[in-house]
Amino acid sequence: MKYIFVTGGVVSSLGKGLAAASLGTLLEHRGLKVILQKFDPYLNIDPGTMNPFEHGEVYVLDDGAETDLDLGHYERFTSTNLSKLNNLTSGRVYEAVLKKERSGTYLGSTVQVIPHVTNEIKDRIRRVAKEMTADIIITEIGGTVGDIEGLPFLEAIRQFGQEVGPENVLFIHTTLIIYMRAAGELKTKPTQQSIAKLREIGISPGIILARTEVSLDQDIKDKISLFCNVPPDAVVEAIDTKHSIYEVPLKLHEERLDDLVCKLLQLETKQPDLTRWRQFVNRVISPTHHMRIAVVGKYIELQDAYKSIYEAFVHAGASNDVKVEIVRVDAELIEKKGAELYLAGMQGVLVPGGFGMRGTEGKIAAVKYAREKGIPFFGICLGMQIAVIEFARNVCGLADANSTEFNKTTPHPVISLLEEQKQVTQKGGSMRLGSWVTDIQTGTRAYDVYQSVTITERHRHRYEFNSAFKTEMENHGLVISGSSPDGMLAEIVELNDHPFFLACQFHPEFLSKPNHPHPIFFGFVKAALQNHLQAASAEL
Ligand code: GLN
């Protein structure tokens, strides 16, 4: 087993996660079995309780783990299926250490960061190595070198490197080479300083991955090499990609990153065949068609809040030969100014997941607009609950129908708390989470997109469609096309007599991959494109 540790310096948001994921892609294409994981220095047990504004999307795994969004990159860029073992926070480490302390594991000793906390971190790496078969484990350390809270992780990986020996471990440091536009010059000093910080801790990186907006010439590479104590060919340029994050593996391959990694870790492999990846990237970059899909949500300003949804559109767009331009619409603006202003001219409308009351009336107005105007609509999780509320109010005539999440005393609680959630008081890891099976009705749009009567999708919710309203809604034309196997929970709803109107209680965006777009995203984009092309030819 070989181990790669990816650290970051100079600034945060360097794209370490993407770099780690892209290296994973390259190594996998060389025939190696790769596992990726992330260590996060913050004290939350996991990011599940954090606001998307704080942390971006919470990415959910099959086993229900609520994780950092970088795990989404890992799963999209490689074929690994990750589990709760693959995201470790300081909070989780300290929790384990303190439990052991109370149960007497360390009886008699003073419990300290070194060795108790660092041992706990190293044990986790060993557990992953033991429980998940792989040739290589790539571990990304969150945060920036120099952060106080990251120190125990860095110390732990230093010790780990000593224990497994230099031929089995590689430290890759990702840094920013600053481009001073006014002077037209590249600056390497912050990189030198961040490497010096790493070396103070006892870690000497084998590769420096230099993030840059302009190409690095040999002089700059030589300078970094000299000051940072690596050979010049170990300074690898990671230039900003022009069009798509999926270009990153191709760029890094051109820079011979995977060759270098294999050389340093003494791995004999074939050269990677990146043809299919390249074809996908070409389809992303130069599609024939173009269309606009509105995403009506609450966390719209933040690029990362609906990360997996945006990526799923890239995958589905590439497969349909169309560029899907995402138009982010703040649901509260629809509340103030009406849906027409924001949604007229859109080829599709998506309402994503979310929590809390704010913006919900705007989302309801968006669904009404899409339903009445025949604009393809796709609702995810809260988006399905909103679609049900809209249908209850405006089609079934159930005035003030609502979810009990937003109005506890609504006369028509069409969305209500899941039975099993009624006793839950703890926050974090306590929703209906992870993979659950859904049975699909034949002859429905859901069956049409999936071509299967059973599917498995990832969930993250507390509320559900209230089955007391099932018959009434069905009588008015709502089709429940997917249900839990016991028939108790509605998982997919849809409408006939509409170009595409489908909403699901689960999160399909977590299962979409570059060359395997998710069936619902694929079907939605396809329907929206057909609708768009028909409307365009009718106008001619
Ligand atoms: N707030 C809703 C619930 O808890 C929807 C959750 C979501 O969209 N992820 O059920």
Side-chain angles (χ1 to χ4, degrees):
M1 181 82 80
K2 307 281 182 177
Y3 303 88
I4 298 174
F5 294 100
V6 180
T7 53
V10 181
V11 291
S12 58
S13 306
L14 265 179
K16 266 186 309 194
L18 267 179
S22 300
L23 177 59
T25 311
L26 295 174
L27 296 175
E28 220 176 65
H29 279 82
R30 295 180 81 111
L32 296 164
K33 171 107 180 62
V34 183
I35 289 170
L36 287 120
Q37 64 176 346
K38 174 114 193 246
F39 289 172
D40 276 310
Y42 50 75
L43 287 173
N44 302 60
I45 297 285
D46 61 42
T49 53
M50 278 191 240
N51 184 323
F53 283 123
E54 283 284 318
H55 193 263
E57 157 187 287
V58 174
Y59 187 79
V60 181
L61 303 177
D62 277 342
D63 67 356
E66 297 177 286
T67 69
D68 184 81
L69 58 82
D70 278 318
L71 276 83
H73 290 312
Y74 306 163
E75 285 199 335
R76 284 187 285 272
F77 276 66
T78 67
S79 58
T80 44
N81 207 322
L82 301 172
S83 78
K84 60 178 184 302
L85 275 184
N86 303 106
N87 193 187
L88 180 66
T89 67
S90 291
R92 183 79 76 188
V93 174
Y94 282 99
E95 181 195 41
V97 169
L98 294 176
K99 267 195 190 138
K100 285 187 185 164
E101 189 271 338
R102 289 289 88 175
S103 66
T105 310
Y106 312 122
L107 218 51
S109 342
T110 309
V111 181
Q112 294 181 300
V113 172
I114 305 172
H116 300 97
V117 169
T118 48
N119 280 350
E120 197 62 41
I121 297 169
K122 289 188 290 178
D123 283 351
R124 173 59 78 96
I125 305 171
R126 287 196 198 95
R127 231 183 107 187
V128 170
K130 202 167 134 217
E131 290 181 25
M132 302 177 82
T133 47
D135 303 307
I136 299 190
I137 299 179
I138 303 176
T139 306
E140 176 194 348
I141 315 294
T144 307
V145 168
D147 295 347
I148 291 176
E149 56 183 14
L151 279 173
F153 284 108
L154 296 176
E155 169 60 17
I157 63 174
R158 179 197 69 77
Q159 294 173 13
F160 193 85
Q162 285 296 312
E163 289 163 21
V164 296
E167 68 286 5
N168 294 319
V169 65
L170 172 62
F171 295 97
I172 300 182
H173 191 56
T174 316
T175 90
L176 180 68
I177 308 298
I178 295 166
Y179 181 58
M180 303 273 289
R181 203 166 288 275
E185 255 182 74
L186 286 162
K187 295 290 183 191
T188 64
K189 185 93 46 179
T191 293
Q192 296 173 33
Q193 284 170 347
S194 98
I195 304 270
K197 265 238 130 10
L198 258 187
R199 288 175 51 204
E200 237 171 63
I201 303 164
I203 294 176
S204 290
I207 294 177
I208 294 173
L209 203 57
R211 294 279 295 109
T212 172
E213 52 177 305
V214 299
S215 195
L216 305 179
D217 59 27
Q218 197 54 48
D219 281 356
I220 287 284
K221 286 189 175 176
D222 290 345
K223 189 168 171 192
I224 299 171
S225 147
L226 183 68
F227 280 99
C228 302
N229 201 34
V230 294
D233 75 344
V235 180
V236 175
E237 172 184 299
I239 197 163
D240 294 353
T241 53
K242 275 206 194 71
H243 309 282
S244 161
I245 55 170
Y246 298 99
E247 290 174 83
V248 176
L250 301 177
K251 289 265 181 236
L252 293 179
H253 178 63
E254 277 167 31
E255 290 292 313
R256 310 177 63 84
L257 175 68
D258 47 318
D259 274 342
L260 186 64
V261 166
C262 290
K263 189 178 96 191
L264 292 172
L265 288 175
Q266 300 171 13
L267 288 161
E268 298 274 334
T269 76
K270 59 174 189 184
Q271 279 297 315
D273 176 2
L274 293 164
T275 318
R276 285 200 69 220
W277 193 275
R278 202 167 274 122
Q279 285 165 346
F280 166 74
V281 170
N282 288 339
R283 286 198 304 273
V284 172
I285 295 177
S286 42
T288 311
H289 306 288
H290 174 267
M291 65 178 195
R292 292 190 299 166
I293 288 188
V295 174
V296 181
K298 182 163 75 167
Y299 316 107
I300 279 306
E301 307 95 274
L302 197 83
Q303 179 75 22
D304 283 347
Y306 306 116
K307 185 100 205 153
S308 294
I309 290 181
Y310 298 151
E311 295 309 320
F313 274 122
V314 174
H315 312 155
S319 301
N320 279 291
D321 196 18
V322 58
K323 156 108 185 116
V324 178
E325 183 192 334
I326 301 292
V327 180
R328 301 186 219 165
V329 180
D330 181 344
E332 283 181 286
L333 290 178
I334 293 189
E335 282 173 15
K336 290 190 192 114
K337 299 189 176 162
E340 172 83 21
L341 185 63
Y342 300 97
L343 303 183
M346 294 293 153
Q347 277 82 49
V349 173
L350 179 138
V351 177
F355 296 84
M357 162 85 186
R358 195 159 58 77
T360 49
E361 291 300 322
K363 293 176 195 172
I364 293 170
V367 176
K368 180 170 191 283
Y369 187 85
R371 183 176 55 77
E372 290 179 346
K373 300 276 180 192
I375 302 175
F377 168 78
F378 181 11
I380 294 179
C381 204
L382 178 65
M384 168 175 140
Q385 300 173 358
I386 293 283
V388 169
I389 296 168
E390 193 279 327
F391 191 83
R393 286 188 192 174
N394 300 323
V395 180
C396 305
L398 302 172
D400 297 326
N402 216 330
S403 162
T404 53
E405 182 179 3
F406 316 132
N407 179 359
K408 291 220 170 354
T409 56
T410 168
H412 306 296
V414 291
I415 303 293
S416 58
L417 201 60
L418 280 155
E419 200 49 45
E420 75 225 30
Q421 286 287 322
K422 293 190 176 149
Q423 322 311 331
V424 175
T425 51
Q426 288 276 93
K427 293 281 182 285
S430 60
M431 287 187 241
R432 180 171 183 245
L433 283 165
S435 277
W436 294 91
V437 169
T438 294
D439 288 344
I440 307 267
Q441 290 285 325
T442 52
T444 59
R445 189 178 290 280
Y447 182 80
D448 197 37
V449 298
Y450 279 106
Q451 294 290 313
S452 173
V453 288
T454 47
I455 55 149
T456 305
E457 294 278 0
R458 296 180 185 174
H459 294 64
R460 182 175 187 246
H461 63 120
R462 286 199 177 87
Y463 292 82
E464 57 152 343
F465 181 105
N466 182 350
S467 54
F469 292 87
K470 188 169 173 235
T471 313
E472 185 167 5
M473 300 259 217
E474 282 178 333
N475 288 344
H476 281 86
L478 190 76
V479 178
I480 298 174
S481 52
S483 311
S484 56
D486 61 5
M488 300 299 281
L489 304 176
E491 303 280 33
I492 310 177
V493 300
E494 56 185 79
L495 294 179
N496 299 324
D497 301 329
H498 193 283
F500 188 104
F501 192 106
L502 184 145
C504 52
Q505 187 54 74
F506 45 79
H507 288 271
E509 69 272 25
F510 296 142
L511 295 185
S512 185
K513 293 197 182 210
N515 277 313
H516 298 280
H518 188 280
I520 305 183
F521 277 90
F522 181 83
F524 175 54
V525 168
K526 188 171 164 205
L529 180 61
Q530 271 168 2
N531 212 35
H532 176 44
L533 295 178
Q534 270 163 16
S537 69
E539 258 175 43
L540 285 176

PDB file of all heavy atoms in Angstrom, residues 123-135:
ATOM      1  N   ASP A 123      -4.243   5.659  13.414  1.00  0.00           N
ATOM      2  CA  ASP A 123      -5.068   4.434  13.437  1.00  0.00           C
ATOM      3  C   ASP A 123      -6.125   4.495  12.347  1.00  0.00           C
ATOM      4  O   ASP A 123      -6.457   3.485  11.736  1.00  0.00           O
ATOM      5  CB  ASP A 123      -5.777   4.280  14.795  1.00  0.00           C
ATOM      6  CG  ASP A 123      -4.812   3.782  15.855  1.00  0.00           C
ATOM      7  OD1 ASP A 123      -3.682   3.404  15.478  1.00  0.00           O
ATOM      8  OD2 ASP A 123      -5.178   3.801  17.048  1.00  0.00           O
ATOM      9  N   ARG A 124      -6.667   5.687  12.118  1.00  0.00           N
ATOM     10  CA  ARG A 124      -7.697   5.818  11.100  1.00  0.00           C
ATOM     11  C   ARG A 124      -7.119   5.493   9.720  1.00  0.00           C
ATOM     12  O   ARG A 124      -7.740   4.796   8.926  1.00  0.00           O
ATOM     13  CB  ARG A 124      -8.297   7.229  11.135  1.00  0.00           C
ATOM     14  CG  ARG A 124      -9.264   7.486   9.984  1.00  0.00           C
ATOM     15  CD  ARG A 124     -10.440   6.502   9.977  1.00  0.00           C
ATOM     16  NE  ARG A 124     -11.411   6.866  10.967  1.00  0.00           N
ATOM     17  CZ  ARG A 124     -12.492   7.594  10.714  1.00  0.00           C
ATOM     18  NH1 ARG A 124     -12.743   8.007   9.510  1.00  0.00           N
ATOM     19  NH2 ARG A 124     -13.335   7.897  11.673  1.00  0.00           N
ATOM     20  N   ILE A 125      -5.927   5.992   9.447  1.00  0.00           N
ATOM     21  CA  ILE A 125      -5.324   5.714   8.132  1.00  0.00           C
ATOM     22  C   ILE A 125      -5.137   4.200   7.993  1.00  0.00           C
ATOM     23  O   ILE A 125      -5.458   3.608   6.970  1.00  0.00           O
ATOM     24  CB  ILE A 125      -3.961   6.446   7.974  1.00  0.00           C
ATOM     25  CG1 ILE A 125      -4.121   7.941   8.217  1.00  0.00           C
ATOM     26  CG2 ILE A 125      -3.384   6.201   6.573  1.00  0.00           C
ATOM     27  CD1 ILE A 125      -2.802   8.717   8.302  1.00  0.00           C
ATOM     28  N   ARG A 126      -4.661   3.571   9.071  1.00  0.00           N
ATOM     29  CA  ARG A 126      -4.436   2.115   9.006  1.00  0.00           C
ATOM     30  C   ARG A 126      -5.733   1.354   8.836  1.00  0.00           C
ATOM     31  O   ARG A 126      -5.790   0.346   8.143  1.00  0.00           O
ATOM     32  CB  ARG A 126      -3.712   1.638  10.279  1.00  0.00           C
ATOM     33  CG  ARG A 126      -2.275   2.051  10.278  1.00  0.00           C
ATOM     34  CD  ARG A 126      -1.454   1.283  11.312  1.00  0.00           C
ATOM     35  NE  ARG A 126      -0.244   2.033  11.524  1.00  0.00           N
ATOM     36  CZ  ARG A 126      -0.055   2.927  12.491  1.00  0.00           C
ATOM     37  NH1 ARG A 126      -0.994   3.135  13.396  1.00  0.00           N
ATOM     38  NH2 ARG A 126       1.072   3.588  12.578  1.00  0.00           N
ATOM     39  N   ARG A 127      -6.788   1.858   9.493  1.00  0.00           N
ATOM     40  CA  ARG A 127      -8.088   1.177   9.367  1.00  0.00           C
ATOM     41  C   ARG A 127      -8.581   1.216   7.933  1.00  0.00           C
ATOM     42  O   ARG A 127      -9.069   0.231   7.395  1.00  0.00           O
ATOM     43  CB  ARG A 127      -9.106   1.873  10.267  1.00  0.00           C
ATOM     44  CG  ARG A 127      -9.831   0.903  11.147  1.00  0.00           C
ATOM     45  CD  ARG A 127     -10.868   1.587  11.964  1.00  0.00           C
ATOM     46  NE  ARG A 127     -12.192   1.266  11.452  1.00  0.00           N
ATOM     47  CZ  ARG A 127     -13.292   1.848  11.897  1.00  0.00           C
ATOM     48  NH1 ARG A 127     -13.224   2.803  12.802  1.00  0.00           N
ATOM     49  NH2 ARG A 127     -14.458   1.480  11.413  1.00  0.00           N
ATOM     50  N   VAL A 128      -8.448   2.393   7.299  1.00  0.00           N
ATOM     51  CA  VAL A 128      -8.879   2.514   5.904  1.00  0.00           C
ATOM     52  C   VAL A 128      -8.053   1.560   5.051  1.00  0.00           C
ATOM     53  O   VAL A 128      -8.585   0.835   4.201  1.00  0.00           O
ATOM     54  CB  VAL A 128      -8.739   3.975   5.412  1.00  0.00           C
ATOM     55  CG1 VAL A 128      -8.940   4.077   3.915  1.00  0.00           C
ATOM     56  CG2 VAL A 128      -9.743   4.865   6.131  1.00  0.00           C
ATOM     57  N   ALA A 129      -6.742   1.523   5.311  1.00  0.00           N
ATOM     58  CA  ALA A 129      -5.858   0.645   4.535  1.00  0.00           C
ATOM     59  C   ALA A 129      -6.271  -0.812   4.702  1.00  0.00           C
ATOM     60  O   ALA A 129      -6.212  -1.599   3.755  1.00  0.00           O
ATOM     61  CB  ALA A 129      -4.416   0.846   4.981  1.00  0.00           C
ATOM     62  N   LYS A 130      -6.729  -1.165   5.889  1.00  0.00           N
ATOM     63  CA  LYS A 130      -7.085  -2.560   6.154  1.00  0.00           C
ATOM     64  C   LYS A 130      -8.465  -2.913   5.597  1.00  0.00           C
ATOM     65  O   LYS A 130      -8.656  -3.970   4.999  1.00  0.00           O
ATOM     66  CB  LYS A 130      -7.082  -2.773   7.688  1.00  0.00           C
ATOM     67  CG  LYS A 130      -6.899  -4.212   8.063  1.00  0.00           C
ATOM     68  CD  LYS A 130      -6.584  -4.358   9.534  1.00  0.00           C
ATOM     69  CE  LYS A 130      -7.445  -5.475  10.085  1.00  0.00           C
ATOM     70  NZ  LYS A 130      -7.919  -5.256  11.423  1.00  0.00           N
ATOM     71  N   GLU A 131      -9.413  -1.988   5.781  1.00  0.00           N
ATOM     72  CA  GLU A 131     -10.797  -2.337   5.437  1.00  0.00           C
ATOM     73  C   GLU A 131     -11.155  -2.101   3.980  1.00  0.00           C
ATOM     74  O   GLU A 131     -12.127  -2.642   3.477  1.00  0.00           O
ATOM     75  CB  GLU A 131     -11.771  -1.564   6.344  1.00  0.00           C
ATOM     76  CG  GLU A 131     -11.703  -2.065   7.766  1.00  0.00           C
ATOM     77  CD  GLU A 131     -12.657  -1.344   8.697  1.00  0.00           C
ATOM     78  OE1 GLU A 131     -13.676  -0.805   8.231  1.00  0.00           O
ATOM     79  OE2 GLU A 131     -12.364  -1.319   9.905  1.00  0.00           O
ATOM     80  N   MET A 132     -10.396  -1.234   3.295  1.00  0.00           N
ATOM     81  CA  MET A 132     -10.738  -0.948   1.900  1.00  0.00           C
ATOM     82  C   MET A 132      -9.557  -1.393   1.047  1.00  0.00           C
ATOM     83  O   MET A 132      -8.469  -0.850   1.196  1.00  0.00           O
ATOM     84  CB  MET A 132     -11.009   0.549   1.713  1.00  0.00           C
ATOM     85  CG  MET A 132     -12.128   1.055   2.607  1.00  0.00           C
ATOM     86  SD  MET A 132     -12.416   2.829   2.461  1.00  0.00           S
ATOM     87  CE  MET A 132     -13.437   2.928   0.997  1.00  0.00           C
ATOM     88  N   THR A 133      -9.778  -2.328   0.165  1.00  0.00           N
ATOM     89  CA  THR A 133      -8.630  -2.790  -0.621  1.00  0.00           C
ATOM     90  C   THR A 133      -8.267  -1.741  -1.665  1.00  0.00           C
ATOM     91  O   THR A 133      -9.134  -1.223  -2.364  1.00  0.00           O
ATOM     92  CB  THR A 133      -8.934  -4.118  -1.336  1.00  0.00           C
ATOM     93  OG1 THR A 133     -10.199  -3.971  -1.940  1.00  0.00           O
ATOM     94  CG2 THR A 133      -8.904  -5.296  -0.407  1.00  0.00           C
ATOM     95  N   ALA A 134      -6.985  -1.435  -1.742  1.00  0.00           N
ATOM     96  CA  ALA A 134      -6.526  -0.436  -2.706  1.00  0.00           C
ATOM     97  C   ALA A 134      -5.021  -0.547  -2.861  1.00  0.00           C
ATOM     98  O   ALA A 134      -4.345  -1.190  -2.052  1.00  0.00           O
ATOM     99  CB  ALA A 134      -6.874   0.960  -2.221  1.00  0.00           C
ATOM    100  N   ASP A 135      -4.508   0.084  -3.920  1.00  0.00           N
ATOM    101  CA  ASP A 135      -3.061   0.183  -4.084  1.00  0.00           C
ATOM    102  C   ASP A 135      -2.546   1.460  -3.444  1.00  0.00           C
ATOM    103  O   ASP A 135      -1.417   1.531  -2.974  1.00  0.00           O
ATOM    104  CB  ASP A 135      -2.696   0.196  -5.575  1.00  0.00           C
ATOM    105  CG  ASP A 135      -3.221  -1.039  -6.295  1.00  0.00           C
ATOM    106  OD1 ASP A 135      -2.918  -2.143  -5.811  1.00  0.00           O
ATOM    107  OD2 ASP A 135      -3.942  -0.900  -7.300  1.00  0.00           O
TER     108      ASP A 135
END
